[in-house]
Amino acid sequence: MNRILKTERCKLKRSCIWLAVLGIPLIPAFLGSANYAGNTGILTNQWYSLWTQVTLFYCYFFFPALIGLYCAYLFRLEHLNHNWNLLMTLPVRRSSLFLGKWITAGGLIFITQMFLVLLYFIAGNFLGLTVPFPWRKVLLWALLGILSGMAIASFQLLCSLIFRSFAVPVAIAFAGGLAGMGLYLKGFGLLSPFSLMALGMNANNPKGDLPYPAPVLIAACLGFSALFCFLGILWMRIRDVKSE
Amino acid sequence: MNTFTLEARKCRRRKIWVMPLLILGFQLLWTLWTTGRMDGKDLRDGWAFVIIGTQMLNCLTMPVLAAVTASRVWDMEHKGQTLKLLKTLTPSSGIFHGKLLYGYLWMFLCGFLQTLVIAAAGKFQGFYGPVPGRQLAYALLVCSGVNLIIYLIYQILSMMYANQLISLTAGLLGAFIGFLSNLFPKSLGLLIPWGYYSRLSSVAVSYDLEAVTAHYAFIPIPWKDWIPAVILLVILYPAGRILLRKKEV
């Protein structure tokens, strides 16, 4: 597994994926902070209000699509240049191949999430927020965001495995984000990995408690991750590869 | 027309219609959900509310649709390295127009069906007054016009970079900036093409902060606000053609 992760890291080295990892979180951090600064009369809860401004639309629409982008990119390299033929003849278990990509996607999600938290912290200090930074809560939301991101990544890796087009899995992720928002608003948030993101990051009501206890959310994330990883590995075992 | 038919044949089984259909489905659900509990004054403002709401949603969905469609139309040439073959058989402008027309057609159809959804939803929910045909026609014009600009941006990106990650990242960035540009002052918002869907609207929203309510009303069509959009179109269209002609394959 260690060698697979090393290989995946090599593939990502100097790739354009870093443009997305570091570029997209800048937008919610900057625009969210600007909106907060312009509405301090209404947004009075300092760090908590800033959190809503930075993460609200980000975790509904853009983070899921960004994860779709990461996963599509991880598999795009295999879909091109007959790489599947090479990959499937290597003395490596198929489950390790899939899980290697899932862990790599997790790494990208972790970096994105931590970068967003860092930007949020910098923005808050820049805006002169006076109350202490709520470390514990923010780190819990960030962690739950990462775990729900990994649940989405397992689903997106399955989609990227099935669809050889680069754009289709990204479109599915975007549509999943929209559907996830609908399920969240209807109270069925636990039924979709896409709504877990908004639930876990608590972007709607950061001052209050999480809508579900953290262990329930973690269990749901792990359950979805296990299910889609299993389906992905099964797909790799039973379907013949198609190279282009 | 020949290159358009060629594109249509190449994309025959690529199911490009799925994404516009998903967006329409989402819009229909959103419209029914937001207008389902309307009464009294809300129903009087209903047409203006649903038109501006759809236009704001377009800021979010249309850039992604444009990026995905353009990427799907161009990626096959990059993957198969067929651009060199195409360029020896057809003038570059023919390839550019064929792909532009084919991809844009899906965007236009999405905008057109969206207008029908608004009209049907308004009738179904019982908004006051007749269907505002002129306002709906203008909403379609805004959607189609801005779609053309946005599609051109992503067509150029998908055409220039074989790595579709770049155009799709730009699609997400555009959607994000466009959607959030609704919060910006108008003068600043006009600098962001992804936000033109709502910036060029003929509906004005005014907020009553004390009563926590919003009022929607039709205003005269802001033709002057089209100037930056037209300038952008005039720059992007020839730029795309020149870039394809000069592209080394």
Side-chain angles (χ1 to χ4, degrees):
Chain A
M1 181 54 92
N2 204 20
R3 283 169 64 199
I4 291 177
L5 292 177
K6 214 172 175 180
T7 315
E8 291 295 338
R9 267 207 313 274
C10 271
K11 289 182 203 170
L12 292 179
K13 211 174 177 182
R14 295 201 182 86
S15 79
C16 301
I17 196 87
W18 300 106
L19 179 82
V21 173
L22 301 175
I24 288 191
L26 280 173
I27 308 290
F30 180 72
L31 295 183
S33 308
N35 196 43
Y36 172 82
N39 295 288
T40 41
I42 314 164
L43 304 167
T44 51
N45 286 325
Q46 299 230 1
W47 286 107
Y48 296 117
S49 298
L50 182 61
W51 179 257
T52 58
Q53 299 308 299
V54 170
T55 60
L56 189 60
F57 297 117
Y58 174 73
C59 66
Y60 278 137
F61 307 120
F62 299 101
F63 203 21
L66 190 59
I67 294 167
L69 203 73
Y70 295 162
C71 297
Y73 189 75
L74 287 172
F75 267 116
R76 179 178 173 84
L77 302 170
E78 319 308 345
H79 288 310
L80 292 176
N81 303 322
H82 306 282
N83 279 343
W84 272 122
N85 293 342
L86 178 69
L87 196 71
M88 298 304 257
T89 48
L90 292 173
V92 183
R93 291 162 66 108
R94 287 164 198 215
S95 56
S96 304
L97 286 176
F98 192 91
L99 292 176
K101 288 196 184 290
W102 182 61
I103 293 169
T104 308
L108 292 172
I109 292 165
F110 176 81
I111 295 169
T112 312
Q113 190 77 326
M114 286 299 126
F115 184 51
L116 184 81
V117 171
L118 177 70
L119 291 172
Y120 165 68
F121 178 70
I122 293 170
N125 279 305
F126 183 75
L127 291 168
L129 301 186
T130 47
V131 296
F133 184 70
W135 278 109
R136 280 189 172 189
K137 279 194 172 176
V138 170
L139 286 180
L140 174 68
W141 299 332
L143 174 74
L144 289 172
I146 292 167
L147 287 177
S148 54
M150 289 196 73
I152 295 174
S154 62
F155 173 73
Q156 284 303 132
L157 283 172
L158 176 65
C159 293
S160 305
L161 184 64
I162 296 170
F163 300 104
R164 280 176 294 160
S165 159
F166 183 72
V168 172
V170 181
I172 291 173
F174 188 71
L178 297 178
M181 185 181 73
L183 285 171
Y184 174 83
L185 294 174
K186 284 279 166 197
F188 301 115
L190 283 178
L191 298 181
S192 147
F194 292 95
S195 358
L196 286 176
M197 175 75 75
L199 286 172
M201 285 177 71
N202 210 13
N204 258 352
N205 179 28
K207 195 121 198 258
D209 292 332
L210 284 166
Y212 296 95
V216 174
L217 291 172
I218 292 170
C221 293
L222 295 178
F224 278 119
S225 299
L227 172 70
F228 292 121
C229 282
F230 170 74
L231 291 176
I233 294 164
L234 193 67
W235 182 274
M236 285 177 92
R237 283 205 177 130
I238 59 174
R239 292 291 292 239
D240 202 2
V241 292
K242 284 179 189 163
S243 281
E244 19 182 89
Chain B
M1 203 58 205
N2 203 15
T3 47
F4 172 77
T5 317
L6 189 70
E7 286 307 320
R9 279 170 170 265
K10 281 195 282 188
C11 295
R12 203 168 31 165
R13 292 202 176 88
R14 294 182 75 83
K15 298 187 179 73
I16 291 182
W17 48 268
V18 173
M19 185 71 180
L21 199 71
L22 277 175
I23 285 177
L24 275 174
F26 172 71
Q27 193 225 334
L28 182 67
L29 287 176
W30 177 86
T31 308
L32 292 177
W33 183 63
T34 50
T35 57
R37 287 166 292 178
M38 280 182 161
D39 54 8
K41 192 185 168 309
D42 291 341
L43 283 172
R44 251 196 306 279
D45 288 352
W47 290 111
F49 166 79
V50 81
I51 287 175
I52 188 69
T54 306
Q55 286 170 328
M56 283 181 176
L57 264 188
N58 283 346
C59 297
L60 178 74
T61 53
M62 289 298 178
V64 179
L65 176 64
V68 168
T69 311
S71 167
R72 301 212 69 202
V73 170
W74 279 92
D75 195 28
M76 58 186 162
E77 313 300 352
H78 293 304
K79 268 186 182 168
Q81 296 178 340
T82 47
L83 209 52
K84 63 177 88 174
L85 177 73
L86 276 179
K87 282 186 89 169
T88 53
L89 296 172
T90 323
S92 295
S93 63
I95 305 168
F96 186 81
H97 288 136
K99 287 193 180 286
L100 176 65
L101 200 59
Y102 182 76
Y104 177 68
L105 185 71
W106 289 108
M107 306 276 303
F108 177 79
L109 269 176
C110 189
F112 179 71
L113 292 174
Q114 193 177 68
T115 313
L116 294 184
V117 165
I118 296 174
K123 274 288 180 202
F124 179 72
Q125 303 288 17
F127 293 165
Y128 284 5
V131 177
R134 191 162 169 267
Q135 297 296 344
L136 285 178
Y138 178 70
L140 177 61
L141 177 72
V142 171
C143 184
S144 315
V146 182
N147 271 348
L148 184 59
I149 297 169
I150 300 298
Y151 190 77
L152 264 170
I153 294 175
Y154 293 111
Q155 157 135 331
I156 292 170
L157 284 174
S158 293
M159 175 183 92
M160 292 308 293
Y161 298 102
N163 190 345
Q164 296 303 304
L165 179 77
I166 293 172
S167 61
L168 286 166
T169 304
L172 291 180
L173 281 173
F176 211 155
I177 297 171
F179 190 56
L180 293 180
S181 73
N182 288 305
L183 305 169
F184 296 172
K186 191 168 186 177
S187 52
L188 190 60
L190 283 173
L191 297 174
I192 298 163
W194 298 276
Y196 286 172
Y197 292 103
S198 53
R199 286 289 160 190
L200 302 178
S201 177
S202 60
V203 176
V205 189
S206 54
Y207 297 99
D208 184 345
L209 291 177
E210 282 183 9
V212 202
T213 51
H215 305 285
Y216 304 86
F218 289 115
I219 53 168
I221 292 172
W223 292 114
K224 270 188 190 166
D225 292 348
W226 279 80
I227 294 170
V230 174
I231 292 172
L232 206 57
L233 191 63
V234 169
I235 295 169
L236 284 172
Y237 174 69
R241 288 180 61 181
I242 293 166
L243 285 170
L244 181 61
R245 197 171 66 228
K246 292 194 170 171
K247 185 175 166 59
E248 188 60 63
V249 289

